[in-house]
Amino acid sequence: MTDKPQIKLTVDGREVNVEEGATILEAARKLEIRIPVLCHHPALTAWGGCRLCLVEVDGASRLVASCVTPVRRGMEVVTTNQRIFDTRRMIIESLLTERNHFCMFCAQSGQCELQDLAYEHGVDHLTLPYLGQEFPVDVSHDFLAVDHNRCVLCGRCVRACSELVGASVLSQINRGGRSMIGVDLAGGLGESSCVSCGLCGQVCPTGAIFHRQRTHTAVLGKRRDFQVVESHCPVCGLLCPTLNYVKDNNLVRVESPLPGAEPLRGQLCRRGRFEPLESSGRQPVRPLVRNSKGSLSPAGLEEALDAAAGELGRLKEAEGEEAILGLISSQCSNEELETFRSFLESFFPGACLDTLDGRFFRALTAAGNGQGEGFKEASLKALTEADLILQLGADPERTHPLVGALIRRAVFENKAEYLAIGPGSLPGPWTKMNLDLGPAQTALFIRELGSKLDRSQEAAGIKGEGMPAREVWKALSLLKAARRPLILVGEHLADQADPAAGFKAVIGLARLLGARSGGELPLIILKPAGNSCGAWSLGVANRETPAGTSGFKGGLIWLSGEEDLPSAGLTDGPTEAGSWTVVSSRFREDLGRLAKVFLPKAGWLETDGTYFRRDDGAGLFKPRVLEPSPELAPFREILNGLAQRLAAGEWTAERKVTSPEPAHPAAG
Amino acid sequence: MSKLRLEDLYRIKGQVLRTNLMEPEKKTIRVTVHMGTCGISSGADKVLALLQEELKRSGREDVALTTSGCAGICNQEPLVTVERLNTEAVKYAQVTPDKAREIFQRHVLGGSPIAEWAFARGWEQPEKLFDGGPDPEMGAVPGIASLDFFGRQELRVMRNRGITRADSIDEYIATDGYFAAAKALFQMSSQDIIGEVKSSGIRGRGGAGFPTGLKWQFAAASKSEVKFVLCNADEGDPGAFMDRCVLESDPHAVLEGMIIAAKAIGAGQGYIYCRAEYPLAVKTLNQAIDQAREYGLLGSDILGSGFEFDLEVYRGAGAFVCGEETALMTSIEGKRGMPRPRPPFPAVQGLWKKPTVLNNVETLASIPQIILKGAKWFASIGTATSKGTKVFALTGDVRNVGLVEVPMGIPLGDIIFDIGGGMATGKKFKAVQLGGPSGGCVPVAHLNTPVEYESIVKLGAIVGSGGMIVMDEDKCMVDVARFFMEFCVEESCGKCTPCRVGTQQMLNILTRICRGQGREGDLESLERWAVFIQNSALCGLGQTAPNPVLSTLRYFREEYEAHIRDKRCPAVVCGDLFESPCQHACPAGMDIPAYVALVRADQLEEAYRVLLKTNPFPSVCGRVCDYVCESKCRRATLDEPVNIRYLKRFITDNAPRPAPAPKAPARRERIAVVGAGPSGLTAARELVLRGYQVTVFEELPEPGGMLRYGIPAYRLPREVVAGEIKAITDLGVELKLNTRVGREIGWEDVENDFQAIYLAPGAHRSLPLGIDGENLEGVVGAVELLRQLNLDQNPPVGRQVAVIGGGNSAVDAARSALRLGAEKVTLLYRRTREEMPAQVEEIRAAEEEGVELELLAAPIRFAGAGNRVEGVVCQRMSLGPFDSSGRRRPLPIPGAEFWVPADQVISAISQGPEAFIDQAKGNGEIGFDAKGLILVKEGSRTRVGQTLVFAGGDAVTGPGKVIWAIADGRAAAEEIDAAIRAKNGEPAFEPPAEEEIDIPATIDEAVTEGPRAQMPELEAGERRGSFAEVELGFTREVALAEACRCLRCDLKEVAEEGAEAA
């Protein structure tokens, strides 16, 4: 509830009360009166450029743009009459004749706002001559193409890029009829500072910015020939909501619901928007079995399961259960994690179970325990409120791109100071300090900061070997001046001999900076994978550090998406070809080379399940986007098949699932 | 330098004034070089450097060499002012370094002014720093106040222009600078200041004219810790440079205005948004800001008042749209300068969403004087709704180009003709463009309009920021509209659809029209676009972008239509519509470059054949044409136009006329032509050439009409006329002389016997003056007198003859009267010589022969003894406001009557046709206007009604020039032929294959500038008593040389090929 005064006005003869400061468009919408818009977008600031939303106010001859004009007491608004209709039609025709809007050849036909408006206003032919200026087409970007000939200069992409993404890559350049959308200072999108989030393409009302990956997939004249499936992206743990455009059980496009909630405002990053489309092109469905000559060859599921069960049994027999490692990705849903654990515990109780990010969590836990008590992390929203962001050993631009967006917005909107220290960084001209230190050096740096900040400790000279003293002092003075500092930590900090050392220092520093309301430390720890929280809290990740590489002679690798093994800490397991018994994945057929048996299974797009949200740990139900291919075995079926072969009838996946109730199940 | 307190202002003022008053032991001579951008670009920096050197060499310590800003009159730069103690200042214009050296030696050091180089004496206004008596040696040099350009101005905003140094804050303080700021800071509350500004009535000088005080009040009422004062110095209108002058000459006035504004609204920070294209202004401003800061006039605790305000110059990159206030603010915020929607208005949410006041340079520079001298003083001049003065950048085809500051409400024409000195080109005024790309063109009919916001808006223009572009008749208004639209297309920010697309679409239409590809419906399209853009564009730039098109459409629609329908550019500008300007200008479309080229090649017979293609009367036109062709000759841009008329005569004088082959009638239709004047005979010839049988009825005993009976033989020998007519009758035209239709032959007979009729009876009746005594004996009409003369009836003339009128007939009558034996001939004309419609050569020749001109004299009545006229009572006139033709209307000076004795009075004010046809044709199909002129059907040039009756020449147009009558005749022939063919269902006429005449394409590599050839004439003494031809004709040498002056504009392709080859 706000205490703003209410303004009474009439729209098309009907009275309405709206808050002071509301626009005419908002008043009309309250009455459910439709006013066409083009440059207006609910997630973006008002622009007033396209002029389609013109309405008549108090009978004046000059029309006003309803999307930007605030209401006035007693205003009499007319939203439709012949003159207004003709003007709007002229605007639509102006746009259609200004550049190339031959819908037939446009990737967006059928999902184009300009096209819709033209139909709505009965533009079945043009009364104006074409202007015929030619503009470049930019295909330098991996995912996006920009056809300036289809641009209507609504400026939505420009606003989205600066207001939501904070990247400000796009702007309008040139004047008059030669105006176009410019990228950085010049050049193509592919060579630009673009963060490839794709939001510009999503807000583009026409086919000016479109996805290269699925061009023309859904073009069918006036019809939009696809379903939209609401789901979530499980890749990085922000669990962003997604709108998945599906045609014939193929994923055509991924968008985000706009306007979205703070702090992310409905963005989606490169990983959530483009990568699912990248991978869904190559989908192995046939299992692979290593033959007697040592090479992998296709096999039927039964044959492969036989082989896998045989290999596992042989391994257990020859080396003992302790030599078996079950490694599961934390991108998997709670159900998958649970089932996998249950399977392993039932058949190989002595085997080691771990997640790809287990090492990270063990380091973190060790650090937390070292301090004697647990702590509460800050929510993502704290990023947008911070006036100083100290990034330590994190690479959000790569691992959590939307966190990068929040940092940029903090810098541009709040004039926050941004310091990036340690491996992984988000460099930019606006980075106050960008120090490329190794993990151990970073830990030292943090300790130095802590000791200088803590008055109880002796404040002497810089102690650390090779510490850049100037930077320490500079960071310290900035930290002292900051009113709402925030520390952002990533997994790189754990990449050292004492994985917990960095985290210990960080937690200490965060405590020195003081807790926020609700006991939150000013600290955000970027978890490596989409369901890291789930894997940890369900106890799938091993609490104890598993034995060294030499201890394991084989086992199972269980993946959900496109996880990369080496960077996820597979140093703990064998990496030679054929050294793993079973690899099961939807996407990583290439990983089959590590295994004796490769078992394709449904990936996260085709699986529904529960995930734990990063901020509040609440469970979230992620519906599946695609129907799994009938040739593809679901994860339960594979495990059941193995179970049957290992010990018939004693274990089934369904029975063993004990998934917690999701706290906030997403609407189906 | 320490920060000033209030009392320091008085101290500095006193100091400066004492120094400048030149106490005897100090400097007694002051030399000022005017160093505005305009001056520097004309070479003032070189002049200054030279003077510095000379001064150093002379070792004189009593000479002060100083600089100042623009002195206002741009086309006289560089200007140098020399003052010596106790003598009046002398301004030298167009000073070169050589002149400067001389001036320094003779005037500065030697003490003798150089009268012949002096432009004017004295200062433009009394508040000068330094004064003295007039120099006796400067007798003939005008005092500056007596020059209209300076004397009619009222300098307020520009009060310091050309006087104080722009880079000296002390000199500004000496002219009461910063006293207003002090008054505002110490004695006035915010509300006092706003009240004073409101009651002064000042309105924004940037263009929109919003009341400044009201704007300030809104901003003052907005609650915010942070507020801004902005100065809009992003002057971008084409042809406008008022603000630059103020910024360069008197920057502190702007600073002071901003301090006062800041106090009024409670702002602590200000920005001056100045375009980077004004480097000198930016430099001067920054210098001024530094000085003001040093003096504590900016920054914290200004003058010890506790008030804090500081300023910064923000350079704009030259986008026109950044003159729009919201775009300007967006630009200062560091974003692309694009307008944003209002409301919220800047007074509530402006720069960085804080309350902001944005004023134009001129507005802010006016503020200090309003505060210091009071609102009443400011409002003492101007009109009810527009107070004070306005600075205009007067440019274009006007004689005095410069910056003028005039009281609001001054008639537009006074600025152009008095201050501006009229047209520099000597051509007719056509329109003045006010308000730049957002403004409009005001045509000649509105010269009396007072220059104030409302009146100008009513005309479809705006006062704007003060651009005033004067255009003469050589400017094509479609092209002007196209130019401004092109500007808007270039400068549209591209944000809103209507402006971005609409201006492009409008430009495309305008460009098409200018290229001769205009279509029916284009004007309606333009209007549709204009209304669309006006009503739907986001900002002022877009909403006003169509104004130049709308205003030219409003006043010059026929010019657009000529482009679209006739593919003609009446102003002869749009090059795609013609081969050469002269040919396009000629009403008969004569192929001038061709015959001029043939003269050069000495192929006179071929040249003659070219003449006859379009004009059966080339000998006549070689003598008495009004040669509009020469007025458009491009050679005039170099030196003088080619003497086309006399080259034409040279051809006919020196080559045998190609003998016409008689045409046997090929068609059965018979055509009657009424009147054997040039129009009728031209039509007859054309029709015979198309195979018709033509009979020409002529009331008088000889054919030729006005050529024979109106124009005296000394201008047009009768044998010349007779020769050309014989060539026509030899073709087979039948002439019935002494036959008046309606008298000797009945109208019905003509209608029955002929299939079509062309009425070309001319205008052979003098119109009455309508004053007392017109019936006295001795009062005659000029046409009647000349007819009598040409009928060889030796009309009696008086001893003292008064001729009334200023046209060619009046001059003809006057010169004829002298030849007939009159002792004294006085020509009475109610306006001045410039307004006389007669050709200038005729007036000059008449004066040479002894005709006396009595100008600004209008007859009131004729008086006489008994029945006989003895003289004319005349009224002395003076020129008043402008009439609809742009000439000043003569107004009687009450009581100023005088007597002109005359025993004969010839009235020659105008002529009309004789009212005989309406008697002959009673059914009313032929319509007449109030003057008795025949009305033709709309959409046709000569057709009168449904039946095949056509009319042309003087009987339709009123007394006109022969070439127009000939053109009418040709048009009539075409229309008659087309009408008959249409009636018969025949295909359109296809002209027979034209005889090929090779036109040599010789062009001179280099052009030597020089005057045109003059026509040799009889000595004035030999002319009296003789009707021998006055003009003697060119010799071969003269003609060849003159023909070589032709630039051959028709050879476009050759020129283009040449350019490509190069």
Side-chain angles (χ1 to χ4, degrees), chain B residues 169-246:
Chain B
I169 189 171
D170 288 358
E171 287 198 11
Y172 180 68
I173 292 172
T175 60
D176 293 337
Y178 289 112
F179 281 76
K183 183 177 172 186
L185 293 181
F186 289 102
Q187 296 172 11
M188 298 172 85
S189 69
S190 161
Q191 280 315 309
D192 292 344
I193 298 169
I194 292 170
E196 198 71 32
V197 173
K198 271 170 82 177
S199 54
S200 76
I202 187 170
R203 295 167 65 173
R205 298 299 194 233
F210 189 81
T212 305
L214 210 53
K215 202 185 236 186
W216 290 15
Q217 188 186 333
F218 290 148
S222 291
K223 288 190 177 62
S224 173
E225 294 268 301
V226 180
K227 295 183 186 179
F228 296 102
V229 172
L230 307 184
C231 169
N232 187 349
D234 191 59
E235 187 170 55
D237 280 4
F241 44 91
M242 305 73 54
D243 295 347
R244 193 191 70 207
C245 174
V246 175

Side-chain angles (χ1 to χ4, degrees), chain A residues 99-398:
Chain A
R99 298 190 182 184
N100 175 351
H101 294 288
F102 301 109
C103 302
M104 270 198 75
F105 316 112
C106 179
Q108 281 298 107
S109 186
Q111 209 197 356
C112 169
E113 294 178 34
L114 181 62
Q115 194 181 32
D116 290 348
L117 286 166
Y119 285 128
E120 182 185 336
H121 288 80
V123 182
D124 48 11
H125 69 289
L126 293 174
T127 62
L128 307 176
Y130 287 107
L131 290 177
Q133 258 200 85
E134 278 198 34
F135 289 86
V137 180
D138 177 3
V139 288
S140 59
H141 193 272
D142 287 342
F143 306 122
L144 293 166
V146 187
D147 184 350
H148 294 280
N149 297 291
R150 301 204 190 278
C151 175
V152 292
L153 289 163
C154 65
R156 280 190 191 176
C157 54
V158 176
R159 279 173 286 154
C161 192
S162 68
E163 294 169 9
L164 302 184
V165 187
S168 295
V169 174
L170 302 178
S171 63
Q172 191 181 319
I173 58 169
N174 298 343
R175 287 185 208 161
R178 292 193 310 277
S179 296
M180 58 184 273
I181 300 304
V183 178
D184 285 346
L185 290 175
L189 200 58
E191 303 93 44
S192 72
S193 59
C194 171
V195 297
S196 301
C197 71
L199 197 65
C200 51
Q202 178 173 338
V203 296
C204 179
T206 69
I209 305 180
F210 58 96
H211 292 197
R212 295 183 63 185
Q213 295 153 306
R214 293 288 187 278
T215 307
H216 289 89
T217 314
V219 176
L220 212 76
K222 296 168 79 156
R223 252 170 62 208
R224 297 172 187 198
D225 189 29
F226 40 65
Q227 294 165 268
V228 179
V229 182
E230 290 180 31
S231 185
H232 291 268
C233 166
V235 173
C236 81
L238 300 184
L239 290 170
C240 299
T242 56
L243 299 175
N244 299 274
Y245 290 67
V246 177
K247 186 189 180 207
D248 301 337
N249 203 32
N250 280 311
L251 185 60
V252 170
R253 178 185 308 169
V254 184
E255 289 192 348
S256 53
L258 284 174
E262 289 290 344
L264 293 171
R265 301 182 185 169
Q267 297 181 66
L268 211 50
C269 71
R270 172 186 83 245
R271 303 186 70 187
R273 191 187 299 272
F274 297 117
E275 283 175 7
L277 297 172
E278 281 287 277
S279 51
S280 60
R282 43 189 173 81
Q283 301 167 335
V285 288
R286 299 208 60 188
L288 302 171
V289 174
R290 201 168 291 275
N291 57 24
S292 52
K293 289 175 198 154
S295 60
L296 287 168
S297 54
L301 180 62
E302 297 299 317
E303 183 192 345
L305 286 173
D306 288 346
E311 287 290 342
L312 283 172
R314 252 192 305 284
L315 185 63
K316 181 177 172 181
E317 212 123 298
E319 306 283 349
E321 284 180 4
E322 292 74 16
I324 297 177
L325 175 60
L327 202 52
I328 182 164
S329 156
S330 300
Q331 255 185 39
C332 294
S333 66
N334 291 338
E335 290 80 356
E336 214 166 333
L337 287 165
E338 282 270 1
T339 310
F340 186 76
R341 180 180 63 180
S342 160
F343 169 80
L344 213 64
E345 281 172 356
S346 301
F347 296 101
F348 308 99
C352 178
L353 171 66
D354 200 11
T355 58
L356 294 180
D357 53 4
R359 179 186 157 85
F360 170 84
F361 273 99
R362 284 187 287 281
L364 193 56
T365 313
N369 288 341
Q371 300 290 325
E373 53 187 293
F375 56 89
K376 194 171 171 194
E377 280 182 54
S379 67
L380 282 178
K381 194 158 177 290
L383 266 175
T384 60
E385 293 158 354
D387 61 354
L388 180 139
I389 297 169
L390 181 61
Q391 176 187 303
L392 301 166
D395 193 353
E397 189 49 47
R398 191 180 60 76

Side-chain angles (χ1 to χ4, degrees), chain B residues 3-8 185-186 295-297 299-308:
Chain B
K3 303 214 167 188
L4 303 190
R5 312 296 289 187
L6 187 51
E7 55 275 18
D8 294 324
L185 293 181
F186 289 102
Y295 270 4
L297 290 162
S300 57
D301 194 19
I302 295 174
L303 289 172
S305 66
F307 184 71
E308 181 175 350

Side-chain angles (χ1 to χ4, degrees), chain B residues 963-981:
Chain B
I963 192 73
W964 294 93
I966 292 169
D968 271 1
R970 283 173 58 86
E974 267 175 40
E975 292 187 353
I976 290 167
D977 181 36
I980 288 173
R981 283 167 183 275

Side-chain angles (χ1 to χ4, degrees), chain A residues 47 49-51 54 61-63 90-91 95 98 128-129 131 133 152-153 172-177 179, chain B residues 336 338 489-498 500-501 504-505 508 528-529 532 534-538 543:
Chain A
W47 185 240
C50 75
R51 317 304 285 170
L54 290 173
S61 71
R62 195 162 280 165
L63 304 173
M90 189 118 167
I91 290 166
L95 292 172
E98 187 187 15
L128 307 176
L131 290 177
Q133 258 200 85
V152 292
L153 289 163
Q172 191 181 319
I173 58 169
N174 298 343
R175 287 185 208 161
S179 296
Chain B
R336 174 181 163 96
M338 288 198 280
V489 167
E490 297 282 323
E491 294 296 342
S492 163
C493 77
K495 178 172 176 176
C496 82
T497 316
R500 185 182 73 240
V501 182
Q504 288 184 82
Q505 292 275 13
N508 283 356
R528 181 172 163 227
W529 276 113
F532 167 67
Q534 279 182 328
N535 287 336
S536 59
L538 168 62
Q543 288 160 3

Side-chain angles (χ1 to χ4, degrees), chain B residues 78 80 99 267 272 288 390 417 579 599 617 702 774 884 1049:
Chain B
V80 173
K99 275 187 177 175
I272 301 173
K390 174 82 194 86
F417 288 93
E579 293 294 315
V599 170
F617 292 100
E702 296 274 343
E774 212 165 348
S884 61
C1049 310

